[in-house]
Amino acid sequence: MLIVVRALYVTAVLAVSVSTALAYDHLATAQPVPTPEMPRPGYLQSVTDPAFGTPFTRVTDPGGQVLPTASCSPDYCTHRYATSQAWNADQSLLLIVNGCQEACSLFLDGRNFAPVFQRIVPNECEWHPTDAALMICADRNEIYTWAPRTDTKNVVYAPNGYRGFQFGPYKGNPSKDGKRLVVRATNAEGTMVAFAYDIHARMKYPDIDLTKLTGTNSYCSISPSGEYIFCFQEMPDETNESYIFTVRGAQIQHWTGNHRPGHGDMTIDPDGSDVYVGISKADPDKYHVIKRRLRDGKVTDLAPYGEGQHASIRSINRPGWVFLTYTGTYAEITEHPDWAPFYQEVVALRIDGSGEIRRIVQTRAAKHDYWSEAHASPSPDGSQVIWSSNWGQAGDPVADYVAELRWP
């Protein structure tokens, strides 16, 4: 009897694998999928996800000496964050920063994931979205471009009267064309401000006084079109609110709902509108995945109540999709049939409201701490997704894995 039950289970899993690996699915018909047992892959070992048929590779080795002068922390060795671009523009390099010891950043081959070189980067840099050789950086009172392979720096803007330049911090991205970014800084009067800067035109836009906003600033970022500034504020009661400004500093929106949305990313809709896609933590769509238009705040509900943790649209050259990281457990999800049927899974969701999805891979990321969160982030063309996992064992080392996608 046990053999028959196991055979039926394997058949069901294989059926899901075929349908999801080669075609799209839909939220309305998706069901929770159990997690088959699978040994943790070895470093640089390529395997196939038994639930969804997706090939993937373990790309980091916590505690390992990956280069003669570079080693990884025994606790974790991972990419920066869900909304930080992990690959460069042509996907020839993949950046690993968390857990890389000696304050270094580790650069892997973007296709076979072998370590290539390390660099000391004492400040925050993000990949240039169109120039594969460059990163865009902010530090002290400078905006500059940096070529990691040659370790060469080109200062773009270094004004007097400002200090403590930060790219975001941590959650900032340049505009889709790489021309504009937002910098957070302290001005000559000691006031925290944010301003947009156009690298191409060598033009600074007006300061936004962040001290006049409710709460404390968490970060500011430019929208993909380069026309809006999005600022995220932390409230004393541990909720969050958002402000949207034009690039010239005029406030056009103030979203008071907690994380409505948050833990997300920005993209451009087919109609040309800048939108933020993320997880709401406020009524009437609490714990739904929503899309919100920057210019007027219009909300579109994309996915029902669920365990969505992070949303990433770093697939900047494959518009129309958001890559969602879900947490939770199989038991929890099956007890709530009205929830989104995903747990410890990376799912690509079309953002047009149609409910079309692609189920990519099971993360096997057991809840433990910040570093054990999966933080799935796609490559610019959406053909690869990187995520972090302790392989289902809370407190175990956290490594990075890369799944490969075929788009029908």
Side-chain angles (χ1 to χ4, degrees):
M1 181 65 178
L2 178 60
I3 294 174
V4 173
V5 171
R6 181 171 179 80
L8 289 172
Y9 168 77
V10 171
T11 301
V13 168
L14 288 175
V16 171
S17 300
V18 172
S19 65
T20 56
L22 301 178
Y24 303 122
D25 204 341
H26 198 278
L27 274 170
T29 56
Q31 298 293 324
V33 176
T35 303
E37 290 186 10
M38 182 182 186
R40 178 174 177 145
Y43 175 49
L44 294 182
Q45 180 183 3
S46 296
V47 294
T48 299
D49 179 86
F52 302 123
T54 307
F56 68 92
T57 303
R58 179 177 153 196
V59 301
T60 65
D61 187 25
Q65 188 77 28
V66 292
L67 287 171
T69 56
S71 60
C72 274
S73 162
D75 299 321
Y76 57 88
C77 190
T78 62
H79 61 295
R80 176 176 286 150
Y81 187 65
T83 58
S84 180
Q85 203 84 57
W87 281 267
N88 63 343
D90 66 3
Q91 298 175 202
S92 60
L93 289 174
L94 174 60
L95 177 61
I96 302 296
V97 294
N98 300 326
C100 184
Q101 296 184 335
E102 307 300 331
C104 76
S105 289
L106 179 63
F107 293 82
L108 311 181
D109 185 290
R111 297 181 178 88
N112 65 25
F113 315 118
V116 181
F117 60 89
Q118 69 164 10
R119 294 285 182 260
I120 302 298
V121 188
N123 51 284
E124 187 178 2
C125 299
E126 298 291 343
W127 285 115
H128 193 291
T130 62
D131 190 331
L134 296 180
M135 301 191 82
I136 301 171
C137 309
D139 187 34
R140 297 188 295 273
N141 72 325
E142 295 179 339
I143 297 171
Y144 63 95
T145 59
W146 175 57
R149 284 189 185 274
T150 59
D151 199 14
T152 54
K153 170 182 172 180
N154 178 41
V155 176
V156 175
Y157 180 59
N160 294 321
Y162 291 90
R163 57 185 170 82
F165 276 19
Q166 292 181 298
F167 196 165
Y170 308 119
K171 296 183 181 181
N173 279 304
S175 57
K176 190 175 183 296
D177 58 12
K179 293 180 179 179
R180 293 178 180 176
L181 74 157
V182 169
V183 170
R184 195 177 77 174
T186 301
N187 66 14
E189 289 73 41
T191 302
M192 181 178 287
V193 300
F195 60 84
Y197 186 81
D198 192 308
I199 296 172
H200 182 74
R202 300 295 176 107
M203 176 180 176
K204 177 189 176 296
Y205 287 90
D207 288 353
I208 297 169
D209 187 344
L210 298 176
T211 65
K212 293 182 177 180
L213 309 183
T214 56
T216 303
N217 182 256
S218 175
Y219 71 93
C220 293
S221 185
I222 200 80
S223 70
S225 71
E227 292 299 322
Y228 301 102
I229 295 171
F230 178 91
C231 290
F232 202 63
Q233 300 289 118
E234 297 177 350
M235 301 295 113
D237 61 357
E238 298 186 354
T239 62
N240 296 85
E241 298 181 3
S242 303
Y243 286 85
I244 294 89
F245 303 86
T246 68
V247 73
R248 291 167 180 80
Q251 182 183 321
I252 59 171
Q253 289 284 300
H254 177 201
W255 300 343
T256 57
N258 182 31
H259 281 84
R260 194 166 184 259
H263 294 292
D265 204 352
M266 289 185 282
T267 188
I268 300 175
D269 249 2
D271 66 358
S273 300
D274 288 279
V275 295
Y276 188 111
V277 181
I279 293 91
S280 172
K281 292 186 180 180
D283 292 329
D285 39 37
K286 193 172 185 179
Y287 299 124
H288 290 224
V289 178
I290 65 171
K291 172 178 71 175
R292 196 160 190 180
R293 197 158 58 196
L294 298 193
R295 72 169 184 265
D296 59 9
K298 180 185 177 182
V299 172
T300 303
D301 198 326
L302 300 179
Y305 190 108
E307 289 280 6
Q309 192 172 40
H310 293 96
S312 177
I313 316 181
R314 293 301 85 210
S315 50
I316 56 175
N317 298 326
R318 183 173 289 277
W321 292 86
V322 59
F323 288 71
L324 301 170
T325 305
Y326 279 85
T327 184
T329 65
Y330 179 73
E332 181 181 28
I333 297 304
T334 53
E335 287 176 3
H336 299 89
D338 55 330
W339 289 15
F342 314 118
Y343 70 97
Q344 295 182 35
E345 186 175 333
V346 180
V347 180
L349 170 67
R350 198 182 285 276
I351 64 170
D352 60 1
S354 66
E356 195 169 35
I357 61 172
R358 284 201 65 188
R359 303 182 75 165
I360 298 170
V361 71
Q362 293 183 319
T363 65
R364 301 170 187 263
K367 285 185 178 180
H368 180 61
D369 57 13
Y370 173 81
W371 300 113
S372 63
E373 295 177 3
H375 293 142
S377 182
S379 62
D381 68 358
S383 67
Q384 301 179 93
V385 183
I386 190 168
W387 85 93
S388 307
S389 177
N390 53 21
W391 213 249
Q393 299 298 316
D396 272 14
V398 180
D400 260 2
Y401 301 80
V402 172
E404 299 176 30
L405 279 69
R406 291 173 292 162
W407 288 89

